[in-house]
Amino acid sequence: MRSFLAALVVSSGLISGCSFDSVVGLVDPYRIDVRQGNYVDQEMVAQLRRGMSRDQVRYVLGSPLVVDMFRSDRWDYVYRFRPGSGEAQQRVISLFFAGDVLDRIEGDVAAASGDAAAAPQPRSRVVEIPP
């Protein structure tokens, strides 16, 4: 009887070793938060004004993540945040220049407003820059 019980324990251990993936699936390992790109918030966008030079924009927002060598009049700031658990979030803001001065902004980040109870805006839109 004892040898049968020992054989049963050993065989169940060997069989469970074959299904190691199912055991790993039950254990949820720690995953770090991953931040990539340029973080741009509403306060930074609120500092931008139409007619600012490229150097002034670079001082406010930092160097752009993407500068298209075929379209030098556009800078793209891309920020991606992937928490350890949950869905990834992405923000994209594009700055368009006329010559060497800022002309307009398009993207996910809007200029800061004093009305906190305002209705949520769509994520992608054109931001008007005051002169």
Side-chain angles (χ1 to χ4, degrees), residues 5-130:
L5 184 60
L8 182 65
V9 169
V10 169
S11 63
S12 66
L14 291 174
I15 291 173
S16 68
C18 294
S19 62
F20 185 71
D21 291 339
S22 65
V23 174
V24 173
L26 297 175
V27 179
D28 189 21
Y30 174 74
R31 294 187 176 106
I32 62 170
D33 297 341
V34 178
R35 292 176 172 85
Q36 296 175 313
N38 303 90
Y39 179 75
V40 177
D41 60 3
Q42 279 98 5
E43 293 176 5
M44 297 167 85
V45 173
Q47 295 177 15
L48 297 176
R49 299 285 181 255
R50 181 175 290 160
M52 290 177 78
S53 70
R54 291 178 191 256
D55 290 334
Q56 290 171 328
V57 172
R58 188 176 283 124
Y59 179 76
V60 172
L61 298 180
S63 296
L65 184 66
V66 179
V67 178
D68 189 357
M69 78 180 190
F70 297 110
R71 293 184 58 192
S72 61
D73 61 340
R74 177 179 176 163
W75 286 358
D76 291 310
Y77 290 83
V78 180
Y79 176 72
R80 183 171 169 89
F81 173 67
R82 188 178 58 188
S85 61
E87 303 229 359
Q89 303 168 3
Q90 182 169 329
R91 292 183 182 177
V92 178
I93 185 167
S94 300
L95 280 63
F96 295 90
F97 293 89
D100 280 337
V101 295
L102 183 62
D103 184 40
R104 71 181 197 277
I105 300 173
E106 294 179 5
D108 299 339
V109 181
S113 64
D115 186 15
Q121 300 292 331
R123 288 201 42 96
S124 181
R125 65 171 192 243
V126 175
V127 178
E128 292 296 325
I129 305 171

